[in-house]
Amino acid sequence: MTVTPDLSPKPRLLVVGGGYAGFHIAKSLQTKIKERGGVVTVVDPLPYMTYQPFLPEVVGGHIDGRHAVVDHATHLKDAELVRGAVVKVEHARRTATVQGPDGSEFEVPYQDIVMTAGATTRTFPIPGLADAGIGLKTVEEAVALRNQILERLDAAARMTDGEERKRALTFVVVGGGFAGVEAIAEMEDLIRNAVSRNPQLSQSEVRIAMVEAMGRIMPEVSEDQAEQVVEHLRGRGIEVLLNTSLGNAEGGVLELISMADKSVVERFGADTLVWTAGVAANSVAKSTDFPVEERGRIEVTATLQVKDGENGVLEGAWGCGDVCAVPDLTGAGPGGMCVPNAQHAGRQAKRLVANYLAVRHGEGEVQEYEHKSLGAVAGLGFGKGVGNPMGVKLFGPLAWLAHRGYHAMALPQLERKARVLGGFVMETVFGRDTTAVFDLERPRNAFLKAAGGTPVLGRFAKKQLEDKEKASA
């Protein structure tokens, strides 16, 4: 049964995706378009925008997961919000097909459309990866990863079986880009802090490893800075395995492959496998009648209008952010395109808003998007960081402060900034909170037990039971 929401009959600017770029566009245009008799409609499966650069800090416990997201309903009060995912766009008909949370589909007509559906985790067909791994693209993943790390440490402290304990205390991150490096650094900080508070655990028992297929990490910084980070991580006991890939993860047993000769380097068990090996444009791009390049991104011009042939643009079609191939007029981007990050997404959104108002309402002039990167900064745990803001190479506390300062400024809305900065202050005064909330995926277990029902086993409890059954068979 198809259920169609009560949609406004007004001329519609449809924003596909309420992430960083989409949120900024809707926030800037909602009142202006309402005053002109139209409506901004935001379609997104989630009721909030996630500020992804803060996800490693959620894992580390510096930021509450709720504070890394910005609620749509609170801040887009003059926009029409539709929960669901756009699964098809027919610009020739000025119609988008939306799949609601219940799986039903309905059509949303529009006058103009902005494609800002973002990116998803890019994975490869590695046996066992889907069962054993977890990504770091959503706040739900970040919160779950933090809780899993602390749960595995707590469980290991009570284990007497050497192999089980070893698996519980092994933590692996695949991918050596910014996300992977920040994630593993925060994980190490969190693990070391939690282990120091548990007399039944020793840091020497913990194994933390990063697997990177290339010969270096962090292509966003200079090679000497990348080497400095590798040295720093290794100095903290983190294994950095370069020119190495994950070949198999079935049953939580990881098989590492040498990129040089494809031979098996090592096999070992690990209960925690984090996948941060790249992103891919949202697949909705391929379900449109817009031009799409080889990497699956919608082709747009430097004015952020969807292309129509070599030199033309499609009337009423716009796009920016990770789902689009936006020309980098500075010449710095790989393949001549802007890299997918929040810095570009936010600035592209601002330029798109100005250009849209110029085209649709004759306000101002259409200009091309051109932004020279301000550099990059990465957090490596509390008080530690690396970066090259404005071309200045930084390492240590200054880079960490630059990282926190930039991202606190880039996070939308004053009340979000205040909550995040307040958390930073509380952590500085009182220290890191290593409290985990267990059984979030099985919240009814306590009630089931009280009511005489059968509690639901978690992932690791199920595996232990299966191993015991195999051993006794």
Side-chain angles (χ1 to χ4, degrees):
M1 178 181 176
T2 301
V3 179
T4 305
D6 185 18
L7 298 173
S8 171
K10 297 176 180 178
R12 173 175 289 106
L13 169 63
L14 180 63
V15 180
V16 180
Y20 197 64
F23 177 87
H24 278 84
I25 291 166
K27 178 72 175 172
S28 299
L29 289 175
Q30 58 178 344
T31 304
K32 293 182 175 69
I33 291 179
K34 181 181 179 180
E35 290 171 347
R36 290 167 173 78
V39 63
V40 172
T41 300
V42 180
V43 180
D44 196 285
L46 298 172
Y48 48 77
M49 180 221 87
T50 301
Y51 188 65
Q52 294 178 1
F54 272 157
L55 294 184
E57 301 235 12
V58 172
V59 175
H62 310 299
I63 296 175
D64 187 299
R66 296 170 303 158
H67 300 163
V69 302
V70 181
D71 179 52
H72 289 159
T74 302
H75 301 287
L76 299 178
K77 293 180 179 178
D78 286 329
E80 182 179 57
L81 305 177
V82 177
R83 285 286 299 281
V86 172
V87 294
K88 184 167 65 174
V89 174
E90 297 172 88
H91 192 64
R93 293 178 54 222
R94 292 294 204 279
T95 301
T97 302
V98 178
Q99 185 177 71
D102 62 353
S104 64
E105 294 187 357
F106 53 90
E107 292 188 340
V108 178
Y110 62 82
Q111 180 183 55
D112 301 308
I113 191 169
V114 179
M115 298 298 296
T116 56
T120 58
T121 300
R122 181 189 62 181
T123 60
F124 301 104
I126 298 171
L129 176 61
D131 294 326
I134 186 172
L136 193 54
K137 201 78 175 65
T138 69
V139 69
E140 292 84 359
E141 289 175 319
V143 172
L145 175 58
R146 170 180 166 77
N147 284 326
Q148 178 173 317
I149 290 169
L150 295 173
E151 186 276 332
R152 287 290 81 197
L153 293 173
D154 180 71
R158 295 178 276 106
M159 289 178 180
T160 55
D161 183 283
E163 282 304 309
E164 284 186 3
R165 186 177 174 107
K166 194 173 180 180
R167 281 183 61 132
L169 295 175
T170 299
F171 305 88
V172 178
V173 173
V174 178
F178 255 47
V181 170
E182 288 190 310
I184 204 163
E186 290 291 357
M187 287 167 62
E188 191 277 336
D189 249 11
L190 175 65
I191 292 165
R192 184 175 295 277
N193 195 282
V195 167
S196 70
R197 300 182 184 187
N198 193 325
Q200 294 173 299
L201 294 175
S202 168
Q203 189 67 29
S204 62
E205 296 181 275
V206 176
R207 182 181 186 185
I208 307 173
M210 179 193 298
V211 178
E212 169 53 48
M214 305 298 289
R216 60 162 289 184
I217 64 170
M218 303 180 79
E220 300 90 343
V221 300
S222 63
E223 191 165 350
D224 62 312
Q225 281 188 300
E227 290 173 355
Q228 190 177 15
V229 172
V230 170
E231 200 174 307
H232 168 79
L233 294 177
R234 287 174 173 163
R236 290 165 60 175
I238 299 172
E239 299 176 40
V240 181
L241 308 175
L242 302 176
N243 298 305
T244 306
S245 65
L246 177 67
N248 197 304
E250 290 178 301
V253 177
L254 310 190
E255 184 177 273
L256 302 186
I257 307 294
S258 167
M259 294 300 292
D261 57 12
K262 305 304 179 183
S263 62
V264 177
V265 176
E266 188 181 3
R267 287 189 184 89
F268 58 91
D271 284 343
T272 304
L273 171 62
V274 186
W275 182 269
T276 63
V279 297
N282 193 300
S283 60
V284 70
K286 297 178 181 178
S287 298
T288 70
D289 49 3
F290 299 138
V292 176
E293 43 89 89
E294 64 275 5
R295 293 185 60 183
R297 298 175 297 183
I298 296 169
E299 295 183 345
V300 300
T301 66
T303 59
L304 306 173
Q305 294 167 281
V306 176
K307 283 186 176 182
D308 183 16
E310 284 298 316
N311 302 310
V313 297
L314 286 171
E315 194 273 329
W318 303 78
C320 69
D322 298 355
V323 77
C324 296
V326 180
D328 187 345
L329 299 184
T330 69
M337 299 296 165
C338 295
V339 296
N341 61 25
Q343 185 178 146
H344 275 303
R347 286 169 171 79
Q348 288 169 9
K350 187 176 180 180
R351 172 45 49 202
L352 190 153
V353 166
N355 285 351
Y356 175 80
L357 290 173
V359 170
R360 177 56 66 187
H361 299 291
E363 298 181 10
E365 297 181 357
V366 174
Q367 297 181 26
E368 294 183 328
Y369 172 75
E370 183 173 2
H371 168 65
K372 185 177 180 181
S373 174
L374 299 176
V377 284
L380 301 176
F382 190 83
K384 303 176 282 287
V386 62
N388 50 16
M390 307 299 290
V392 179
K393 293 182 179 180
L394 297 176
F395 195 90
L398 283 178
W400 174 73
L401 286 172
H403 170 266
R404 286 206 162 177
Y406 172 78
H407 287 299
M409 178 181 67
L411 180 68
Q413 305 308 126
L414 180 60
E415 59 96 8
R416 291 288 103 174
K417 299 177 195 288
R419 293 179 194 276
V420 167
L421 292 173
F424 288 163
V425 172
M426 291 299 101
E427 181 186 34
T428 303
V429 175
F430 297 110
R432 187 196 304 265
D433 184 356
T434 55
T435 305
V437 181
F438 296 158
D439 285 331
L440 285 176
E441 295 179 1
R442 301 170 298 280
R444 295 182 65 245
N445 270 356
F447 178 77
L448 284 171
K449 187 176 180 180
T454 303
V456 180
L457 291 178
R459 168 186 160 196
F460 300 112
K462 279 183 183 177
K463 186 181 182 308
Q464 284 181 325
L465 184 61
E466 289 169 0
D467 290 344
K468 287 179 181 178
E469 289 175 349
K470 286 179 184 178
S472 61

